[in-house]
Amino acid sequence: MAELCVLADSKKLDIICITESHFSDDLEEPEIQIPGFNLFKGNRDFKLDRTKNCRETSDKGGSVIYLRENLSIVDNSHDKGIDSTSVVIQTDIGNILIGCFYPSMSLNDAQNAEFLKYFSSKVNDDTEKLLFGDFNCPNVSWVSGNVSGPSDSSNRSMIFQQNLLETIHDAGMDWLITDEVTRRRKYGDKVQESTIDQIFCSEGSLISEFELFSPLGKSDHVSIISELNICSPSNDHC
């Protein structure tokens, strides 16, 4: 948490989205709080199927959103889904839905369906939206906007990726990251590189630029910092 607090202060961050937060309801708020921020949690409240297809070593998962305290939040707008959470803020250009998502590759079919239902509800929300997350779509080419593989595949991961991409296309969402590597990890004796983190937005003009930074802590994902073209009525930053 100390490293995150330093980053929030040095980069003057207003919105922080974290996937695989590994927070639990047993943690006390002071342990996970960032001074000057409100915290919105999407803790994992389900168990993974412990089968040969399960890739995770814990049941912690989850996503969280930190919002600087002087951002104006729409009352009762915070909710959560499968390892995901969202909240709506008020800005000079209207309400903006901020979402943070983590569809684990170890979800079963029912959990994948529940995730997609929640994600679709946010993608198709009437407000403008900025959706951040580790979407675990290694077979998606974000340059072409297609899934690399047979369209009639019975593979659970391929089906999920096709359904998520279809949801994005149907809603007319834009994405920012194309061929940048967002995760680099050692896999056996090889280095595996992939683009599985993404930022979706309902209007490309909501974000002016983004930059990749070194991973935080023990994460094998890069940190992504973006500049948003929005201002909150009670916030001096944009």
Side-chain angles (χ1 to χ4, degrees):
M1 287 301 300
E3 188 179 0
L4 181 58
C5 290
V6 169
L7 183 66
D9 181 62
S10 64
K11 297 296 183 181
K12 302 188 184 310
L13 304 181
D14 291 317
I15 301 170
I16 301 171
C17 295
I18 300 175
T19 60
E20 293 188 83
S21 53
H22 291 192
F23 291 173
S24 70
D25 294 335
D26 297 331
L27 286 173
E28 299 292 335
E29 287 290 327
E31 297 181 69
I32 55 177
Q33 192 57 260
I34 300 176
F37 283 78
N38 290 312
L39 171 61
F40 300 89
K41 296 180 289 187
N43 294 346
R44 179 174 288 178
D45 56 4
F46 61 92
K47 297 290 185 182
L48 296 173
D49 289 342
R50 291 299 170 192
T51 66
K52 63 180 181 180
N53 294 319
C54 186
R55 305 186 184 200
E56 291 192 30
T57 58
S58 77
D59 278 309
K60 294 182 178 179
S63 294
V64 297
I65 299 173
Y66 290 93
L67 296 179
R68 195 169 287 277
E69 287 178 344
N70 55 3
L71 287 172
S72 300
I73 301 163
V74 174
D75 290 343
N76 302 315
S77 66
H78 172 239
D79 66 6
K80 66 176 188 174
I82 289 277
D83 276 349
S84 306
T85 189
S86 66
V87 65
V88 179
I89 61 174
Q90 296 174 330
T91 76
D92 289 349
I93 61 172
N95 291 346
I96 304 286
L97 186 151
I98 306 295
C100 186
F101 303 86
Y102 172 58
S104 166
M105 295 186 77
S106 295
L107 298 181
N108 61 31
D109 291 339
Q111 291 163 344
N112 272 336
E114 188 175 344
F115 173 88
L116 287 168
K117 181 179 179 181
Y118 179 76
F119 181 69
S120 179
S121 72
K122 301 309 171 187
V123 166
N124 292 292
D125 191 277
D126 290 336
T127 62
E128 300 291 357
K129 55 201 72 76
L130 291 164
L131 310 180
F132 306 85
D134 168 4
F135 290 93
N136 273 319
C137 292
N139 299 102
V140 171
S141 166
W142 295 109
V143 175
S144 63
N146 295 307
V147 177
S148 301
S151 59
D152 59 348
S153 172
S154 60
N155 178 273
R156 177 187 297 168
S157 174
M158 293 294 292
I159 293 172
F160 171 81
Q161 293 177 73
Q162 290 163 355
N163 288 337
L164 185 135
L165 196 59
E166 183 177 325
T167 300
I168 291 299
H169 282 314
D170 289 349
M173 297 284 286
D174 294 325
W175 57 83
L176 267 69
I177 298 170
T178 52
D179 56 357
E180 294 84 357
V181 173
T182 66
R183 184 183 67 179
R184 182 177 288 108
R185 66 176 180 174
K186 193 76 177 295
Y187 197 77
D189 59 352
K190 298 181 179 179
V191 175
Q192 183 186 69
E193 295 183 337
S194 53
T195 304
I196 57 177
D197 302 277
Q198 191 55 266
I199 303 173
F200 298 111
C201 52
S202 52
E203 289 288 343
S205 60
L206 292 174
I207 299 181
S208 58
E209 60 184 36
F210 72 93
E211 190 173 354
L212 305 184
F213 289 84
S214 300
L216 285 176
K218 297 179 180 179
S219 175
D220 55 11
H221 294 251
V222 299
S223 301
I224 305 170
I225 297 181
S226 56
E227 183 173 346
L228 309 183
N229 293 322
I230 60 176
C231 290
S232 172
S234 60
N235 188 19
D236 294 332
H237 300 127
C238 296

